[in-house]
Amino acid sequence: MTQTPAPADLYNHALADAYDALKMAADYEIWADLLEGVLQEQGCTGRRFLDVGCGTGTSSLAMQRRGFEVTACDISEEMLEIARGKDRAGNVRFLQADMRALPDSLAGFHLIHWLDDVANHLLGPADLGAAVRSSAGALVPGGVLVFDVNPLATFTAHYSLRRRSVVERDDTVIISTGLTARPSADSPAEARLTAFRHQGDGLWTRRSATVLEHHFEDRTVRNAIADAGLDLVGSYGFGDMTAPGKLVRPADEQRHPKIVYVARRPVSADRAGH
Ligand SMILES: C[S@@+](CC[C@H](N)C(=O)[O-])C[C@H]1O[C@@H](n2cnc3c(N)ncnc32)[C@H](O)[C@@H]1O
């Protein structure tokens, strides 16, 4: 199995304690609404939810507050550490796991999601295939897998050479600088991420790491879903200002900030994956 170098470097050493500054809490509620809508549409009433690549646990806790029984995993111990710190009551089970080979103990879920370009951290079709198979195996028959990928427009916006973006919030400033001459379909692309954090008394820390993401073409994702024995419910554009919080069809690589895939384990099929 190919190794994923990005999380160890990026999330463990540079970004974990600055990650939440990049995110808006309200966006996780919008996503949770969307997941509940998908489950309703699919007639899936079970409440066992697995948050794969849970990061600092914001989506795990949003779903727990909505009455889901939540298990959450990530490859980065540092991200999990922060997630556990937010869950003082211990309502969510957080564990370290690689999404390409989830432990057999993770089984029987009605809903699994990989939120916010977790999929693009997988560095090629073989890793993507392994991850979809592994999640498929953790679903109950009729269970639903939902994940988003960054389309080419997002790669171009963030990873093109010298393309720079800055996020500034409270005591954190994060600068992203693209490193890839021309991001292209079904290929990896890189950016340099530098996080400055104010520690008090005018003292700032500075940490940098490389973000490495892989763009997946629609047909690569569809193949991974079919090979894992899942039925594709649909692919949708998401994050468009003209339809906030909505899944829209058709997905457009050039227009939508995210593309969302919804897949379902057939009710009659044998257990896919492990
Ligand atoms: C962009 S963050 C998203 C975090 C979270 N889902 C959210 O929406 O805030 C990507 C996460 O994927 C995790 N990740 C990357 N590769 C992984 C793998 N092979 N298995 C499990 N988690 C992985 C990283 O450690 C990181 O926490």
Side-chain angles (χ1 to χ4, degrees):
M1 185 184 288
T2 4
Q3 281 306 306
T4 302
D9 185 19
L10 173 65
Y11 294 102
N12 286 352
H13 303 302
L15 194 56
D17 65 350
Y19 183 79
D20 285 341
L22 278 175
K23 304 288 161 183
M24 304 292 284
D27 289 344
Y28 290 95
E29 296 300 331
I30 291 171
W31 183 259
D33 287 344
L34 188 144
L35 287 178
E36 288 198 298
V38 167
L39 278 185
Q40 207 170 12
E41 254 172 43
Q42 294 306 309
C44 184
T45 52
R47 307 298 275 178
R48 293 199 67 214
F49 169 61
L50 176 64
D51 189 353
V52 170
C54 64
T56 58
T58 314
S59 56
S60 323
L61 290 162
M63 294 299 278
Q64 189 275 327
R65 285 192 296 272
R66 289 168 186 239
F68 284 82
E69 183 192 323
V70 184
T71 302
C73 64
D74 199 280
I75 202 166
S76 160
E77 252 314 329
E78 277 72 1
M79 295 294 264
L80 288 165
E81 197 62 38
I82 293 169
R84 289 187 190 107
K86 290 181 189 170
D87 181 29
R88 295 269 174 237
N91 289 320
V92 173
R93 179 180 168 222
F94 287 106
L95 72 150
Q96 187 179 28
D98 186 330
M99 66 193 292
R100 296 167 297 178
L102 296 173
D104 288 343
S105 59
L106 295 185
F109 293 96
H110 303 100
L111 172 66
I112 298 179
H113 86 172
W114 319 341
L115 171 62
D116 211 1
D117 54 349
V118 172
N120 297 104
H121 291 68
L122 299 160
L123 295 180
D127 278 10
L128 178 68
V132 178
R133 272 197 306 282
S134 199
S135 279
L139 286 172
V140 295
V144 178
L145 171 65
V146 184
F147 61 93
D148 64 272
V149 297
N150 279 338
L152 213 43
T154 303
F155 271 75
T156 304
H158 294 289
Y159 295 107
S160 298
L161 195 60
R162 289 189 281 276
R163 192 67 74 88
R164 188 159 281 173
S165 57
V166 179
V167 174
E168 189 174 355
R169 194 160 303 140
D170 304 328
D171 57 357
T172 306
V173 179
I174 298 176
I175 302 171
S176 163
T177 310
L179 298 176
T180 301
R182 193 167 295 116
S184 52
D186 252 332
S187 302
E190 289 182 327
R192 191 77 187 153
L193 219 129
T194 302
F196 295 90
R197 298 214 75 201
H198 190 221
Q199 307 292 345
D201 287 338
L203 183 71
W204 287 76
T205 53
R206 176 187 191 275
R207 289 189 186 159
S208 291
T210 301
V211 189
L212 179 58
E213 290 205 359
H214 192 99
H215 173 267
F216 292 106
E217 273 182 330
D218 182 59
R219 89 185 127 131
T220 308
V221 181
R222 284 173 187 260
N223 286 344
I225 289 171
D227 289 350
L230 298 178
D231 293 333
L232 179 68
V233 174
S235 70
Y236 310 86
F238 184 66
D240 190 340
M241 298 304 270
T242 61
K246 298 268 182 288
L247 294 178
V248 295
R249 273 180 143 147
D252 183 338
E253 281 277 333
Q254 295 303 335
R255 187 163 71 90
H256 292 123
K258 294 276 183 199
I259 294 180
V260 174
Y261 289 87
V262 179
R264 190 163 187 210
R265 186 173 159 189
V267 175
S268 56
D270 287 335
R271 192 163 185 259
H274 60 212

